[in-house]
Amino acid sequence: MNDQLADSYDVVIIGGGAAGLNGALMLARSRRSVVVIDAGAPRNAPADGVHGLLGREGMPPAELLERGRAEVRGYGGQVVSGEVGSVTRGERGGGDSADGTGPEAGFVVELADGRTARARRVLVATGLVDELPDVPGVRERWGRDVLHCPYCHGWEVRDQAIGVLASGPMSVHQTLLLRQWSDDITYFAHTMEPPTAAEAEQMAARGIRVVHGEVASLEITDDRLVGVRLADGGVVGREAVAVAPRMVARVGFLKALGLEAVPHPAGEYVPCDATGRTDVPGVWIAGNATDLSAQVGSAAAAGALAAAHINADLVAEDTRLAVAARRGA
């Protein structure tokens, strides 16, 4: 990557996953100056392949991102490695704007290493962090035989003995979903409350076994998951384990703008309108940071949509400036 930042851009995109890169592609093709700042820690890095994405089924995540970076650069966009520390309001040319979105308003994006760049608009596409249960083996096997999304990994574990490690309010729903891919499903209540009577009836009707008691660890043999060990020493043989992690948007750097994540049943996210526009004028958001369940395809589409609206917003501002200049001539 060329890590040299220019002084200013039309748009700074924070996050270089599917949402950020597709947004950058749209903006670069719109002849906007755009930079993607990428911390290099994609959420799906442990996965063997991207699934459910038409035309790219099974492609390794790293290859998909590298192709995306090359496409962005091919239209004059820039991709820079780095971690954003803060985004603050800045003024361009010493002017002022009542609503913060006028021609003189802008943002200062500061990286953790001290580099800075100004932006007329900001697109946040930093994704989220998966907070996993504190059970030995879960983090180590994450993205391999410990999974979370049936639509991303269900086919790969079809007809296997699958366990669901209860970790939150979505675990029962996740269990019932996985029954579509295998008829050998075991629900481990772990430290959660036992299933309600209605939930227990649903799982029994689908032939899903419920195991009570705390899970101590995952059993690994020859680099392969073979079972779930309970605190009482018993082991239930399993070939794959699903968890529903708590998903938290990576947006701490936006605090100075007054934009923070809010609670969601599955974690924390940043609300926005249908175009990705946030409550802070000039800031858009796309991908998992606002849609916790978005897969690669929908995240990319959201990035493209946000980029189109950002460009339209800039066109409107450019037109206001041109009209004002003409009247003042």
Side-chain angles (χ1 to χ4, degrees):
M1 294 184 185
N2 175 13
D3 288 343
Q4 187 67 39
L5 280 173
D7 291 334
S8 63
Y9 299 88
D10 286 327
V11 185
V12 169
I13 297 177
I14 306 171
L21 289 173
N22 216 39
L25 182 63
M26 290 287 285
L27 287 162
R29 283 177 51 83
S30 300
R31 308 189 76 177
R32 292 292 178 188
S33 60
V34 59
V35 62
V36 177
I37 301 174
D38 183 25
R43 180 193 183 201
N44 64 355
D48 290 334
V50 173
H51 298 292
L53 183 61
L54 188 64
R56 291 291 181 265
E57 172 62 31
M59 175 177 285
E63 182 180 344
L64 181 67
L65 295 181
E66 188 50 47
R67 286 192 182 196
R69 295 184 196 109
E71 290 170 355
V72 169
R73 295 188 185 108
Y75 288 100
Q78 190 178 357
V79 182
V80 168
S81 61
E83 183 175 351
V84 171
S86 67
V87 180
T88 54
R89 256 317 161 187
E91 293 299 331
R92 296 175 135 209
D96 194 15
S97 171
D99 65 1
T101 61
E104 302 302 328
F107 300 92
V108 176
V109 179
E110 183 172 357
L111 276 63
D113 61 12
R115 288 177 291 165
T116 62
R118 288 184 173 269
R120 296 174 67 187
R121 302 290 185 271
V122 172
L123 173 57
V124 179
T126 43
L128 55 82
V129 174
D130 291 300
E131 295 183 350
L132 298 172
D134 187 19
V135 172
V138 168
R139 173 64 66 181
E140 294 81 358
R141 308 301 299 184
W142 181 240
R144 301 169 66 187
D145 36 30
V146 174
L147 51 97
H148 75 291
C149 172
Y151 299 103
C152 302
H153 307 289
W155 177 264
E156 283 64 44
V157 296
R158 65 193 184 281
D159 298 325
Q160 293 184 20
I162 302 171
V164 177
L165 176 60
S167 56
M170 299 302 292
S171 292
V172 171
H173 172 69
Q174 182 184 47
T175 302
L176 293 170
L177 277 181
L178 280 164
R179 180 61 179 79
Q180 177 63 24
W181 282 266
S182 174
D183 60 7
D184 187 357
I185 306 291
T186 298
Y187 177 86
F188 294 90
H190 190 39
T191 57
M192 301 296 295
E193 290 293 321
T196 65
E199 292 169 341
E201 182 180 29
Q202 290 173 340
M203 288 193 280
R206 296 289 285 166
I208 297 169
R209 178 188 177 192
V210 176
V211 174
H212 298 283
E214 187 172 349
V215 170
S217 65
L218 301 186
E219 289 288 296
I220 312 299
T221 300
D222 296 330
D223 197 30
R224 183 171 59 88
L225 192 153
V226 296
V228 174
R229 180 173 292 279
L230 302 173
D232 65 8
V235 176
V236 179
R238 296 288 90 184
E239 298 169 276
V241 167
V243 299
R246 184 172 183 270
M247 299 175 283
V248 180
R250 296 170 171 164
V251 293
F253 56 87
L254 296 174
K255 187 171 292 187
L257 296 177
L259 190 59
E260 298 185 65
V262 300
H264 181 281
E268 296 177 6
Y269 78 114
V270 177
C272 65
D273 70 10
T275 72
R277 190 190 299 261
T278 72
D279 290 339
V280 174
V283 178
W284 273 256
I285 191 165
N288 284 135
T290 186
D291 182 356
L292 299 182
S293 64
Q295 293 181 274
V296 172
S298 53
L305 178 64
H309 283 271
I310 291 171
N311 182 61
D313 192 48
L314 288 169
V315 166
E317 181 174 287
D318 293 339
T319 302
R320 290 195 301 269
L321 280 170
V323 169
R326 185 175 187 275
R327 289 175 178 174

